[in-house]
Amino acid sequence: MANKDAGTKAPTTLSQRKDLKGNFLNFRGEHAGTFIYRIVSQDRLFELFDGRQNALVHPSKWDDPFENLILNAKIKMPGGDTGDFGFRNDLYGQCWTLHQASDAMWRIYSPNKLGVRVRTTIGRLAGSLSNCLGDWARQQCFVGKVQYMTTPQMRSFGETFAAGHLSADAVARTLLVKREAFKHEREVRLIYFEKDNTRHAEGVFRYALDPHKMIDQLMVDPRVPLDEFVSLKREIKYRTSFRKSIERSTLYDPPTQLVLRFGSQD
């Protein structure tokens, strides 16, 4: 085993509005108690616990130039005039993954071997935002699984979206489309839809969060030596006052000696 997860699902402990079921998008088989993960730098981890705020960013800050492709497209009206989606800049997102143990994810998001994997559940993540939004949660808070498509499929998706009813969940779904080259990420996204056309400073939307309630496990990069992990674990406890599980991934630990039966054992 690469870590000490006890499975893929857990009870949802954060209160969650019962009418948000329709705001869970593209999930097939997963439910509110399904574990999701996010690898962050140690500095970002300490910032989360110190500031007690979660941060979602505008898609323009993500590396993939295809992000927010649908809403950035031009609209051609029946009379021939062209225009833009007026709400194309009103979405903010945060990326998580369903991967419990992935070499690729550690190497991408912890390039300096200083990353810490944060674990929560789909329900607790959605609840952390929806509880801050009150009655507007149904129109502003979404959590969904990314769909991976070919370029023609993405174009077809966009055309279907433009021809359909432009509801809040339909708009949120446009941020759940990526190219097939990224399907190794198994991505889940928390999405905030700004209703007031507010431009948040530096393209970052922040909301109040109690990390001790949302997070149930921290896991250190598997490439951190065991002796360094002991001191790092002590520092994390001191800096965050986190009293739940703090582990080191065993993804790269050498296997136990393999014994093969050779020839007759009589």
Side-chain angles (χ1 to χ4, degrees):
M1 294 293 291
N3 56 45
K4 296 184 178 180
D5 288 332
T8 58
K9 296 179 174 63
T12 303
T13 58
L14 261 185
S15 61
Q16 186 180 328
R17 296 167 58 87
K18 293 181 179 179
D19 57 359
L20 277 181
K21 185 176 180 180
N23 294 41
F24 283 41
L25 309 177
N26 299 338
F27 288 112
R28 300 291 185 274
E30 299 89 356
H31 59 60
T34 299
F35 284 131
I36 52 176
Y37 311 88
R38 176 173 167 82
I39 298 174
V40 299
S41 67
Q42 293 173 24
D43 287 343
R44 183 61 60 85
L45 178 72
F46 296 145
E47 180 182 292
L48 174 65
F49 278 86
D50 289 341
R52 299 173 71 86
Q53 287 186 327
N54 198 18
L56 282 69
V57 302
H58 191 270
S60 61
K61 299 178 74 70
W62 290 332
D63 291 335
D64 183 8
F66 277 65
E67 293 288 7
N68 210 19
L69 177 69
I70 308 302
L71 295 187
N72 282 328
K74 290 292 184 181
I75 306 171
K76 189 171 184 179
M77 307 303 291
D81 293 337
T82 60
D84 301 304
F85 288 108
F87 45 79
R88 66 187 182 280
N89 292 317
D90 294 339
L91 293 179
Y92 296 79
Q94 186 179 68
C95 306
W96 294 70
T97 180
L98 289 163
H99 272 304
Q100 174 182 342
S102 168
D103 171 78
M105 300 302 283
W106 281 116
R107 294 184 184 276
I108 293 171
Y109 295 103
S110 181
N112 298 320
K113 307 177 185 178
L114 299 176
V116 179
R117 196 199 70 179
V118 174
R119 188 180 76 178
T120 188
T121 64
I122 293 170
R124 284 203 299 266
L125 180 64
S128 72
L129 175 56
S130 68
N131 289 342
C132 292
L133 299 175
D135 292 337
W136 283 101
R138 286 190 63 190
Q139 301 299 317
Q140 293 186 278
C141 173
F142 301 89
V143 61
K145 187 164 64 172
V146 170
Q147 294 180 309
Y148 300 97
M149 302 179 178
T150 63
T151 300
Q153 287 174 329
M154 293 177 73
R155 180 182 295 274
S156 176
F157 176 91
E159 292 172 348
T160 300
F161 166 74
H165 175 61
L166 300 184
S167 60
D169 68 291
V171 174
R173 287 179 189 275
T174 65
L175 214 59
L176 299 175
V177 177
K178 291 191 74 171
R179 291 176 290 170
E180 287 189 323
F182 296 90
K183 64 182 180 181
H184 63 278
E185 294 178 339
R186 296 186 65 201
E187 193 171 340
V188 170
R189 287 180 171 176
L190 177 65
I191 298 172
Y192 170 72
F193 189 6
E194 174 59 66
K195 66 181 176 65
D196 295 324
N197 295 317
T198 301
R199 294 294 174 261
H200 296 280
E202 299 179 349
V204 181
F205 166 74
R206 294 181 171 85
Y207 67 93
L209 170 79
D210 184 347
H212 295 280
K213 289 184 177 180
M214 189 184 78
I215 299 169
D216 60 28
Q217 184 195 67
L218 300 176
M219 183 165 285
V220 172
D221 191 298
R223 293 164 292 180
V224 173
L226 278 172
D227 57 341
E228 292 183 20
F229 167 65
V230 173
S231 60
L232 177 57
K233 181 177 180 178
R234 188 181 303 114
E235 180 183 6
I236 291 174
K237 282 186 174 182
Y238 175 76
R239 293 280 300 271
T240 66
S241 298
F242 190 72
R243 293 296 178 258
K244 299 176 186 176
S245 174
I246 303 176
E247 308 290 344
R248 169 186 169 275
S249 173
T250 59
L251 183 64
Y252 300 139
D253 284 7
T256 56
Q257 182 65 52
L258 179 62
V259 178
L260 303 176
R261 293 181 178 271
F262 182 77
S264 175
Q265 299 296 312
D266 298 335

